């Protein structure tokens, strides 16, 4: 066997034996032989995992009960909303990836040119992916919506305004209580 040939072992559970096949390795990577939708779904899932990890870190920093980072509640709220937005994007990446793969599976299942033994069906991984995407989007939206507008804008300071006219000054002096 040369270096360009790789032995792949596939175990067939139905027949309980190993089948060895020779596969010509043409110097291409293993992902170059995959369909485009599979490569894209894998990339979206990697992006989703990375966004989720960054979202976890940012959300922990933005929690009011932690003493990491700035102790200003306005800054903490903005950090928490940023973490929630990252969770939303992570959930959407997961939802797009799982749904796109499911669309391709159903398309190939109903394609008359696909052999009967080469048809895929929806497996538990698709349902787990949809549930994970739904929970991630729900968690991100709750994290974004749980922060009130006052917390986002910060505390407003208004200086006491002076009466603009003599009539307003007269009314204010009449309504004041004597000491």
């Amino acid at each position: 066997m040369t270096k360009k040939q790789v032995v792949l072992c596939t175990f067939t559970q139905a027949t309980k034996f190993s089948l060895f096949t020779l596969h010509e390795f043409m110097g291409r990577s293993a992902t170059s032989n995959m369909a485009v939708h599979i490569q894209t779904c894998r990339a979206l899932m990697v992006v989703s995992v990375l966004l989720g990890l960054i979202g976890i870190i940012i959300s922990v920093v933005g929690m009011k009960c932690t003493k990491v980072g700035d102790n200003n509640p306005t800054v903490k709220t903005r950090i928490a909303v940023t973490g929630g937005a990252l969770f939303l994007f992570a959930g959407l990446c997961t939802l797009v990836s799982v749904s796109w793969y499911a669309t391709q599976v159903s398309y190939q299942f109903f394609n008359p040119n696909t052999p009967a033994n080469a048809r895929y069906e929806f497996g538990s991984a698709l349902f787990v992916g949809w549930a994970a995407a739904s929970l991630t989007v729900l968690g991100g939206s709750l994290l974004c919506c749980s922060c009130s507008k006052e917390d986002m804008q910060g505390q407003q300071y208004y200086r006491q305004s002076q009466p603009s006219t003599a009539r307003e000054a007269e009314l204010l002096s009449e309504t004041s209580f004597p000491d």
Side-chain angles (χ1 to χ4, degrees):
M1 219 184 311
T2 64
K3 286 186 178 181
K4 290 189 175 189
Q5 293 177 338
V6 177
V7 176
L8 295 177
C9 174
T10 56
F11 181 75
T12 309
Q13 196 164 6
T15 57
K16 302 287 186 201
F17 70 91
S18 297
L19 174 67
F20 293 97
T21 58
L22 291 177
H23 176 69
E24 282 288 324
F25 187 67
M26 302 289 195
R28 295 181 284 176
S29 67
T31 59
S32 67
N33 295 335
M34 287 188 210
V36 175
H37 73 276
I38 295 176
Q39 290 179 3
T40 308
C41 289
R42 288 176 72 180
L44 279 171
M45 289 303 292
V46 168
V47 168
S48 174
V49 168
L50 292 176
L51 285 174
L53 288 175
I54 295 169
I56 288 172
I57 294 168
I58 289 176
S59 296
V60 166
V61 171
M63 291 170 49
K64 292 179 183 176
C65 62
T66 60
K67 295 187 181 200
V68 179
D70 197 359
N71 286 332
N72 186 358
T74 304
V75 174
K76 286 266 193 193
T77 301
R78 290 180 181 156
I79 292 172
V81 168
T82 303
L86 287 174
F87 278 125
L88 280 172
F89 289 135
L92 289 176
C93 284
T94 302
L95 187 65
V96 166
S97 175
V98 172
S99 297
W100 190 4
Y101 188 80
T103 302
Q104 291 297 320
V105 166
S106 64
Y107 172 75
Q108 290 175 359
F109 184 81
F110 292 113
N111 187 0
N113 296 330
T114 304
N117 60 354
R119 293 183 178 170
Y120 292 123
E121 294 179 1
F122 287 178
S124 60
L126 286 175
F127 298 111
V128 169
W130 280 320
S134 301
L135 291 175
T136 306
V137 167
L138 179 68
S141 60
L142 286 176
L143 192 57
C144 286
C145 295
S146 67
C147 303
S148 64
K149 295 272 187 197
E150 293 83 25
D151 289 342
M152 284 293 292
Q153 294 173 352
Q155 194 173 20
Q156 299 292 331
Y157 295 101
Y158 298 104
R159 68 183 177 104
Q160 187 176 2
S161 62
Q162 300 297 322
S164 59
T165 63
R167 177 71 182 143
E168 287 180 14
E170 186 179 312
L171 289 173
L172 286 175
S173 65
E174 289 175 1
T175 59
S176 61
F177 298 104
D179 290 331

